[in-house]
């Protein structure tokens, strides 16, 4: 199990701003983080990978 901090999300191709990520989470469209401390959050890499795969599948459905 791998945890990704905010900066590591960018290495996965997710270059959203923090406020945009929070808006997506509030809308139920982005995985929620794990609270590691009072001001430290991290996301499960497997959940981020699944999010990316869903986005790819949605794109492919639109093209078909």
């Amino acid at each position: 199990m791998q945890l990704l901090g905010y900066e590591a999300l960018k290495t996965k191709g997710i270059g959203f701003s923090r406020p945009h990520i929070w808006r997506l989470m509030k809308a139920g469209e982005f995985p929620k983080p794990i609270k590691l401390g009072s001001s430290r959050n991290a996301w499960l890499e497997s959940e981020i990978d699944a999010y990316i795969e869903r986005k790819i599948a949605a794109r492919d459905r639109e093209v078909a």
Side-chain angles (χ1 to χ4, degrees):
M1 178 177 346
Q2 183 78 19
L3 295 175
L4 303 173
Y6 174 73
E7 292 300 321
L9 293 177
K10 293 178 184 178
T11 66
K12 289 283 193 173
I14 299 173
F16 302 145
S17 68
R18 288 174 190 207
H20 187 63
I21 288 175
W22 298 120
R23 282 191 295 272
L24 290 172
M25 286 187 311
K26 186 175 181 180
E29 298 175 15
F30 194 81
K32 293 189 177 184
I34 297 166
K35 194 85 163 149
L36 298 176
S38 61
S39 62
R40 182 89 168 128
N41 296 306
W43 288 262
L44 283 172
E45 183 175 31
S46 60
E47 291 178 355
I48 296 301
D49 290 342
Y51 168 80
I52 293 168
E53 289 172 14
R54 284 192 306 274
K55 289 296 190 181
I56 292 169
R59 177 206 60 194
D60 292 346
R61 281 192 303 276
E62 288 177 8
V63 172

